[in-house]
């Protein structure tokens, strides 16, 4: 995973990969990867080993999503954004353009249909609730558009790949 | 055969307090073989002092005036439990002469000075007069309560700057500094109205303002047999808004002759009011080592441990034995100062947010340990810091052979100390322990306001190496967060909590957007 981490006006591009157990390989700004062993010693408190150098630190997520990080006697507020997600978000609308066919991802039962044919929907608006393995899953619209087709009924069974709903973008978009 | 332990001074003592000081008193009782009776308000059932006590009784709803200040209820508990004495700790009823009298009337020993001593020392104007008569130097100022007109002319007569003070005052309330004549009128008016609303007594007096003073106090012990001794000084100049934050014993830059002189003055002050038990004379010391009596605290002080660490005297146990009629048990000549002790008060306050109270559940609590470290705490992991009471959660005391060892040990202990879930003043103390003026021992009561608060936003200048490690930990946390999120965002949700995980994911997703 690649993250864009910002603190005090500075930005770091950080590549993280799990290396088993508590270990991670981390590279900052395309530098050499460093093995970091972050062993949780109490809720949100870590003993961090970088090579044989030991640091005590903690990380707590604030309500606004920023990370309140303490290392030794220093305290920092970090923002960590997944770079791929950021890239996806910036191109999300162009990517998900054109007619969208929503299909079931696993066998299940249609619990509820939240929209009607002809209804205009926003991006991320819930369309259908499918139950599988006693859990419910709300499928959402990938684009802003209008529901042009619903191929299922409430209470009906679906298989993997069954077409559920078709959404088409609004005219002129 | 074990030697027979000395017979305990009391069979059972009620501790009319909560938090760390209740724990401290209970520990003393246990060591003396005294049964301890705790009281707890509705929000304190699971407090540490309850767990350490032999017996515990509910004393009322959370607000202090309905529980820890509820005299009738507390005396009823004393009767019901069969406690022979009541230890008031500090705060709450500790300096309430009426409560001390009620205890005596109910046949329960009040562990502390006699009611008339508390009363005489509680009124600043009365105590100033008594001290002057006993030959104790007092801050130049009026010897009686003043009308507005008299206050005005008196202030001009002794010369500005002056402080207009509430006669019944304390804790910085009803106190106004006047630098210029134009401010005088307003200051008198405001001090009087604050005094009236805070203490129910609007009398005021005027004192000369001592410039750049240090706040140094002398610990004393007196018994019912007329013995009074002092246990040297404590340096308490590290204050914010008259709230002490760091204390030490002995005081730095303190000539031995001054120690002797102030010790004698404190003994004279205590003798003038026939003081019984542990008490403290507070003084201001100016830049020329002139000292002035400020007030006497007729109770155990928050900062008593620094004196205990350098004198090897247990002040709480001694106070209990004195209340039972025993003599102090040692003389002035038996006492000496061994090494240096510093105390940091750990408050549930956010130093980055102007010391705003930070109540809540303590999720992680890992106090420091090792040589020379003492932590007097009233909390534990999982404890709830409530909004109802003093936010002091612990007192970290470090002893060293000398001041520099004590500071090094305090830095080390503050580094070990981990508290999560609430904000504490630990980061603030780390800053002070690194401050050159503090380390050199050059400071006065203006230290925090002038030297610490303007120069930092409540954090140490970030260390570049620690920041790099911080970036790594943030990346690991983000990685784990997204992995957990991905697990949650499997296209499944629990039927029992419909929508919850989706809403959660939705919020998280938005949070990750660039700001």
């Amino acid at each position: 995973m690649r993250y864009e981490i910002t603190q005090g006006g500075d930005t770091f591009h950080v590549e993280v990969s799990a290396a088993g157990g508590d270990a991670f390989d981390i590279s900052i700004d395309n530098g050499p990867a460093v093995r970091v062993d972050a062993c949780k010693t109490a809720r949100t408190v870590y003993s961090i080993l970088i090579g044989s150098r030991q640091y005590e630190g903690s990380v707590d997520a604030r309500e606004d999503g920023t990370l309140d990080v303490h290392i030794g006697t220093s305290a920092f507020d970090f923002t960590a954004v997944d770079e791929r997600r950021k890239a996806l978000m910036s191109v999300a609308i162009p990517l998900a353009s054109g007619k969208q066919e929503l299909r079931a991802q696993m066998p299940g039962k249609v619990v509820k249909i939240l929209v009607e044919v002809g209804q205009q929907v926003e991006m991320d608006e819930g369309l259908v609730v499918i139950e599988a393995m006693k859990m419910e899953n709300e499928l959402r619209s990938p684009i802003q558009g209008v529901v042009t087709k619903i191929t299922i009924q409430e209470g009906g069974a679906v298989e993997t790949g069954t077409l559920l709903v078709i959404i088409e973008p609004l005219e002129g978009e | 055969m074990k030697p027979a332990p000395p017979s305990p001074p009391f069979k059972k003592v009620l501790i009319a307090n909560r938090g760390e000081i209740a724990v401290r008193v209970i520990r003393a009782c246990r060591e003396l073989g005294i049964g301890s009776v705790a009281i707890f308000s509705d929000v304190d059932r699971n407090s540490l002092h309850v767990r350490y006590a032999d017996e515990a009784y509910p004393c009322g709803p959370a607000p202090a005036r309905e529980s820890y200040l509820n005299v009738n209820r507390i005396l009823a508990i004393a009767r019901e439990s069969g406690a022979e004495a009541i230890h008031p700790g500090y705060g709450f009823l500790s300096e309430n002469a009426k409560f001390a009298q009620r205890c005596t009337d109910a046949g329960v020993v009040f562990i502390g000075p006699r009611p008339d001593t508390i009363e005489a020392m509680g009124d600043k104007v009365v105590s100033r007069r008594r001290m002057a008569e006993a030959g104790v130097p007092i801050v130049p100022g009026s010897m009686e309560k003043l009308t507005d007109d008299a206050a005005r002319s008196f202030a001009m007569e002794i010369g500005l700057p002056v402080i207009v003070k509430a006669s019944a005052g304390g804790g910085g309330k009803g106190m106004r500094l006047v630098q210029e004549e134009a401010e005088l009128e307003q200051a008198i008016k405001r001090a009087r109205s604050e005094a009236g609303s805070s203490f129910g007594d609007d009398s005021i007096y005027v004192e000369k303002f001592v410039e750049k003073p240090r706040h140094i106090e002398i610990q004393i012990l007196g018994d019912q047999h007329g013995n009074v001794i002092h246990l040297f000084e404590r340096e308490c100049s590290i204050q914010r808004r008259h709230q002490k934050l760091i204390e030490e014993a002995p005081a730095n830059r303190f000539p031995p002759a001054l120690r002797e002189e102030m010790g004698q003055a404190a003994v004279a002050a205590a003798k003038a009011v026939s003081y019984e038990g542990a008490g403290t004379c507070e003084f201001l010391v100016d830049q020329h080592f002139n000292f002035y009596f400020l007030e006497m605290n007729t109770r155990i002080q928050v900062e008593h441990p620094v004196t205990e660490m350098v004198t090897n005297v247990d002040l709480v146990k001694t106070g209990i034995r004195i209340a039972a009629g025993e003599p102090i048990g040692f003389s002035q000549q038996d006492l000496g100062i061994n090494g240096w002790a510093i105390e940091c008060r750990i408050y549930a306050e956010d130093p980055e947010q102007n010391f705003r109270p930070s109540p809540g559940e303590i999720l992680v609590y890992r106090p420091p340990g090792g040589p020379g470290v003492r932590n007097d705490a009233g909390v534990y992991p999982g404890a709830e810091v409530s909004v109802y009471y003093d936010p002091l959660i612990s007192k970290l005391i470090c002893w060293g052979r000398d001041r520099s060892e004590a500071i090094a040990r305090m830095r080390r202990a503050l580094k070990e100390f981990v508290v999560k879930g609430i904000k504490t003043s630990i980061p603030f103390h780390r800053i002070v322990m690194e401050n050159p003026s503090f380390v050199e021992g050059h400071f006065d009561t203006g230290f925090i306001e002038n030297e610490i608060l303007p120069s930092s936003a409540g954090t140490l200048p970030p260390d570049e190496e620690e920041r790099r490690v911080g970036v790594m930990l943030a990346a690991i946390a983000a990685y784990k967060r997204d992995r957990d999120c991905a697990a949650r965002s499997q296209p499944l949700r629990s039927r029992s909590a419909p929508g919850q995980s989706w809403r959660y994911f939705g919020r998280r997703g938005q949070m990750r957007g660039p700001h």
Side-chain angles (χ1 to χ4, degrees), chain B residues 57 73 81 84 93 102 111 136 205 214 236 271-272 285 291 293-294 304 322-323 384 407 411 450 488:
Chain B
Y57 294 79
R73 175 73 188 131
S81 65
E84 304 162 78
L93 294 165
R102 289 280 307 271
I111 301 177
V136 178
Y205 69 105
R214 294 161 76 193
C236 307
K271 281 189 169 159
V285 177
F291 67 92
F293 174 85
L294 203 57
H304 75 274
I322 287 169
E384 188 83 21
I407 291 173
R411 286 181 186 151
N450 300 332
R488 263 195 299 275

Side-chain angles (χ1 to χ4, degrees), chain B residues 231-247:
Chain B
L231 293 94
F232 314 109
E233 78 282 5
R234 286 188 290 262
E235 158 65 76
C236 307
S237 300
I238 308 292
Q239 309 182 346
R240 183 183 160 271
R241 295 186 184 166
H242 305 282
Q243 169 91 277
K244 294 169 190 166
L245 297 174
I246 298 171
E247 303 94 346

Side-chain angles (χ1 to χ4, degrees), chain B residues 460-476:
Chain B
L460 284 170
D463 176 294
E464 207 32 56
E465 182 187 339
E466 290 181 340
R467 186 162 82 142
R468 264 187 103 71
V469 179
V471 168
M472 294 176 180
L473 185 58
I476 292 170

Side-chain angles (χ1 to χ4, degrees), chain B residues 436-449:
Chain B
S437 303
F438 177 80
V439 172
E440 287 160 24
H442 282 274
F443 50 81
D444 55 54
T445 53
F447 174 78
I448 298 295
E449 264 88 1

Side-chain angles (χ1 to χ4, degrees), chain B residues 399-426:
Chain B
W399 180 91
R401 277 165 309 160
D402 52 28
R403 191 165 186 269
S404 72
E405 189 180 48
I407 291 173
R409 204 160 253 166
M410 184 61 84
R411 286 181 186 151
R412 183 270 285 175
L414 287 168
K415 197 164 185 227
E416 287 177 10
F417 211 150
V418 180
V419 179
K420 293 286 157 192
I422 58 165
K423 293 287 183 185
T424 73
S425 49
I426 291 171

Side-chain angles (χ1 to χ4, degrees), chain B residues 262-289:
Chain B
M262 284 177 65
Q264 291 303 326
V267 168
K271 281 189 169 159
V273 290
S274 307
Y275 199 88
E276 291 169 19
T280 296
C281 288
E282 297 193 335
F283 294 94
L284 290 181
V285 177
D286 71 14
Q287 290 159 303
H288 311 290
F289 294 114

Side-chain angles (χ1 to χ4, degrees), chain B residues 247-269:
Chain B
E247 303 94 346
E248 57 186 286
N252 200 39
R253 291 188 299 126
F254 199 66
L258 183 60
R259 174 172 297 133
E260 180 61 29
E261 210 182 329
M262 284 177 65
Q264 291 303 326
V267 168

Side-chain angles (χ1 to χ4, degrees), chain A residues 7 55-56 74 85 136-137, chain B residues 366 465-466 491 493 512:
Chain A
Q7 188 268 331
Y55 302 85
E56 185 162 63
S74 303
R85 174 170 289 268
E136 289 182 6
N137 164 25
Chain B
R366 287 215 307 239
E465 182 187 339
E466 290 181 340
R493 65 177 174 174
R512 262 188 256 128

